[in-house]
Structures are given as structure tokens and as C-alpha cells.
Amino acid sequence: ENRPIPEPGPNEVLLRMHSVGICGSDVHYWQHGRIGDFVVKDPMVLGHEASGTVIKVGSGVTHLKPGDRVAIEPGVPREMDEFCKTGRYNLSPTIFFCATPPDDGNLCRYYKHSASYCYKLPDNVTFEEGALIEPLSVGIHACKRAGVTLGSKVFVSGSYLVNILRPIGLVNVLVAKMMGAAVVVVTDLSASRLQKAKEVGADFTIQVKDETPQEVASKVEKLLGCMPEITVECTGVQACIQAGIYATRSGGTLVLVGLGPEMVTVPIVNAAVREVDIRGIFRYCNTWPVAIALLASKRINVKPLVTHRFPLEKALEAFETTKRGEGVKVMLKCDPSDQNP
């Protein structure tokens, strides 16, 4: 509350923030002070799933004006390097990213950001939907990397002690179905979470208990009547990655979305001799225009993902709620003058 209101640079906009979702990474930084090599060394503002209203534009900004409602893409390249030139700017090693040390996030009243990475929201897309474009983008990027297309059979892995409904597993279900997947099967430990997956479009669910990865793969194959061409692994847990390899059809693709330990043991020979492609994803790129078009056309509905809402003054309570694993997506409201989503 005591931070000064920033002044936008020539190619920036100043925003009055409206909706900011809490991500698992925000909670992890709050609790542990680091994620991998990214270490919090100084006080840092959290938040990277966000939308707001433009209140001031820099001298070089022409596509936005005060009053515009925008969704914020949190990753902004700092230089035009080889990755930016090929359209994969998310891989740029010097990229700015909200709430990744040492870069501040946007869980605050006022925030300035590169105008090129602020996207105007159509009138029929809410602030909350705008904030949810960030997790939705993970699903879009993952399913594109996986090659989901008409008729694909997709396995979304989320079992073994990890809640996929936070909400990366869910958005992968939504996007896979949108891209033409004929069948999507989801695994998880919790029956209630699997029910939520069915509500957003999963065709089949498997509640995992103490099965081995091979047994999980066998259950997926039996349920589908064949092995899926595509597996989207949302946990980063070793057993889930193993199950993903065993489950994926020969010549198919396994996409690793979840991040777990740096080193894991996997049946790599099994993947190699069956030509299972293993692909990673790092955040996303070029997804905001696609996501906005899908939301505006009502082809994808992300509204049910928001289960809890808190004003900015109750941020600690909101973080505690997320930490406890309650609901799906916790949303913070930063603008007290506007209570609409």
C-alpha cells in the first residue's frame, strides 16, 4: 500500500490492477523462497495471472488508451535474441517474468508493464477470464507441443499425491477437447477432483490408489481400448512420468508440464525403442490472442475454475486457502471500487 505509483516509460502502460490469480509457484516462493535456481534474495511482489485497466500510456503507445481493460502476459523479452527472432521468446534466458526473482509481480494496486504484452479484452470477456488466460495459456502451449488434433486420444496424468485441479490439469482437458481430441482420460487420487475433471470435459477418469506405473498404464489402455497417442503429464512426479511413458502409444508424444525434482528415474529405453517423443514446455508463447479469441467466442468456459475470491486486504487468507488446497483457483480483487468479475 505504501509503494509509490510508478510512471510508465515510453513503451509502457500504467494499470490499475483488478484481478490476480494465485498460482502454486506464488505459494512456493512464499513458503520456500526459491524454485530451482530462482532464489528470492530481496523482498518481491508476487502475482503473474492478472488483468487490469489502463490509466496512463507512455508516449510511444498507440494501440491502447486510458480506460481499456487488458490481460497481462507476464513474460517480456529484454532483448531481440535468437529465440525472439524465431518466435520462441519464452526461451530467452534474459526474459522478464512477473514474480520470478528478481522481477516483481503484479499483485498490487498499480502496476506498469510493457504495452506490447498487454492485450485489450473484448467487452464480453471479464477481468477474471482475462486473469485466467495465464493458466489457460499453459494448456494451449502444451497441447500445441503435443500435437493434439481431430480424433486424438489424450491421457492427462495427475495422480500420485498431486492435485491437477490447480488448475493446469483442467485447462489441458479444456484445450485438448477444444482442439479436437475425441477422448480424454484423467487420473488422480481424489474422486472429487476427478468429478471436477468430468465436469469440464474429461470423458473417462481413473482413481489411482497404490498401483504401479505399469498398472496405471494398463488401466488407461483398457479404458480407451487402445493406448493414447498423447500423454500430458501435469505433476512432475517420477511415478507419473513413468506411467506416462508406459501408457503412450508407440510413435506418440509425452509432454512434461509439471516440474518436480531435477533428477528422476524413467524407463528411457522403453520410450526410445517405441519412438515415444518426450517434450518439455516452459511457460508459453504467442498464446494470448488465441486465448482471447476462444473466450470471446465462448468456445471455452474458464469461469467455473474460480472457486474463491478475496480482496487484496485479505491476501494472506487467500494464500493460506491456496496452500491448503481448497477449491481450484483463488482470485484476488485489487480494485476495491469495482466488484464485478
Side-chain angles (χ1 to χ4, degrees), residues 15 20 26 29 33 53 80 102 124 137 145 150 156 203 235 249 258 263 327 341:
L15 303 164
V20 181
D26 294 318
Y29 280 126
T53 302
M80 182 56 67
N124 67 338
S137 286
R145 289 274 291 159
L150 291 172
V156 177
D203 298 281
T235 72
R249 180 184 302 181
M263 302 293 288

Side-chain angles (χ1 to χ4, degrees), residues 90-147:
N90 58 311
L91 302 181
S92 175
T94 61
I95 194 169
F96 167 92
F97 197 88
C98 292
T100 296
D103 302 326
D104 280 331
N106 43 37
L107 183 52
C108 49
R109 298 280 189 214
Y110 297 95
Y111 174 73
K112 69 175 182 178
H113 199 70
S114 168
S116 296
Y117 292 82
C118 292
Y119 300 83
K120 188 174 179 179
L121 293 173
D123 292 340
N124 67 338
V125 177
T126 68
F127 281 112
E128 283 190 355
E129 289 176 299
L132 288 168
I133 290 175
E134 197 279 339
L136 181 59
S137 286
V138 176
I140 293 171
H141 191 54
C143 288
K144 288 175 70 175
R145 289 274 291 159

Side-chain angles (χ1 to χ4, degrees), residues 154-168:
V154 180
F155 168 32
V156 177
S157 170
S159 54
Y160 295 97
L161 305 179
V162 178
N163 181 356
I164 69 162
L165 307 180
R166 190 69 83 65
I168 298 305

